[in-house]
């Protein structure tokens, strides 16, 4: 008989970010505001990120795609059409967490991608074998995501969804630590559908939670 074990995420998980554009740098900025360490990567290599990481502050360092992908929590924030290349050839994630911030639409045409009836998070999940995928940080425009989530006495809402309860709890804890109010939308086939852009009803909604 084979024992089934749920991967344990360390109490202070390390963080990587693949993609340093609008969303990747917004996530890095939010992490940096709280002094949380992260490794940021793009397609052009760490040298191209020198100015950005200097601007973001000491908790964010530039790394390779492989270094970012090796962390306990890996944000993926890459143009939809470039995701297969950005995630190609990485080792199995072995139960580590991938946060899917992506939406299946791309500048400059903003034509929805053909998903053949699948959810974008299902497509992303196939590209990160062994990962526990949580959909989050995708429903707000990057400029708003990067701002202080304390808003008019409340906390800006971020949605998250996923099929692994422990992974979702880890992401929920991070969302809370960053000052947002997290709302669990359930499993990927429910929550990712609600939060997906285009198609879902939740994208762009700037909700503020008053406790
Ligand atoms: N922009 C928004 O407001 C927004 C809001 C919600 C969700 N999203 C979603 O978030 C994702 C990222 O969007 P974005 O606006 O941040 O795009 P972006 O500004 O164009 O940035 C994309 C990033 O992906 C990196 N990348 C591309 N190919 C790569 C590869 N092979 N290896 C490593 N990195 C690679 C790029 O690297 P280089 O810098 O080296 O080119 C760039 O840093 C998309 O799926 C989008 O739908 C965007």
């Amino acid at each position: 008989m084979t024992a089934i074990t749920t991967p344990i995420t360390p109490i202070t998980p390390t963080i990587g970010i693949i993609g340093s554009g609008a969303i990747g740098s917004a996530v890095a900025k939010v992490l940096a505001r709280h002094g949380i360490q992260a490794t940021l990567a793009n397609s052009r290599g760490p040298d191209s990120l020198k100015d950005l990481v200097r601007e973001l502050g000491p908790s964010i360092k530039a790394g390779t795609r492989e270094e970012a992908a090796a962390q306990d929590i890996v944000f993926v924030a890459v143009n939809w059409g470039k995701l297969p290349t950005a995630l190609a050839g990485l080792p199995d994630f072995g139960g580590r967490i991938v946060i899917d911030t992506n939406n299946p639409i791309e500048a400059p045409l903003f034509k929805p991608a053909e998903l053949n009836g699948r959810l974008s998070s299902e497509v992303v999940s196939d590209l990160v074998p062994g990962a526990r995928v949580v959909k989050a940080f995708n429903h707000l425009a990057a400029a708003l995501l990067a701002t202080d989530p304390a808003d008019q006495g409340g906390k800006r809402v971020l949605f998250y969804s996923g099929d692994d309860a422990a992974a979702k709890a880890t992401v929920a804890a991070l969302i809370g630590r960053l000052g947002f109010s997290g709302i669990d939308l359930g499993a990927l086939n429910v929550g990712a559908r609600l939060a997906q852009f285009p198609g879902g009803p939740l994208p762009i909604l700037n909700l503020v939670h008053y406790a």
Side-chain angles (χ1 to χ4, degrees), residues 157-169:
V157 166
L158 288 188
F159 301 108
Y160 60 94
S161 58
D163 295 338
D164 183 284
K168 276 202 301 189

Side-chain angles (χ1 to χ4, degrees), residues 18-25 41-45 48-49 65 76-80 82-83 85-87 101-106 137-143 197:
I18 300 179
S20 63
I23 284 288
S25 58
N42 63 7
S43 72
R44 290 164 292 140
S48 70
L49 289 165
R65 178 186 78 116
V76 176
V78 170
N79 327 78
W80 182 257
K82 294 180 179 167
L83 280 165
T85 307
L87 298 171
T101 73
N102 305 285
N103 286 316
I105 192 161
E106 210 167 311
F137 294 81
N138 74 300
H139 96 282
L140 294 176
F197 177 80

Side-chain angles (χ1 to χ4, degrees), residues 135-153:
K135 179 90 180 170
F137 294 81
N138 74 300
H139 96 282
L140 294 176
L144 183 58
L145 179 66
T147 62
D148 187 347
D151 193 341
Q152 301 172 61

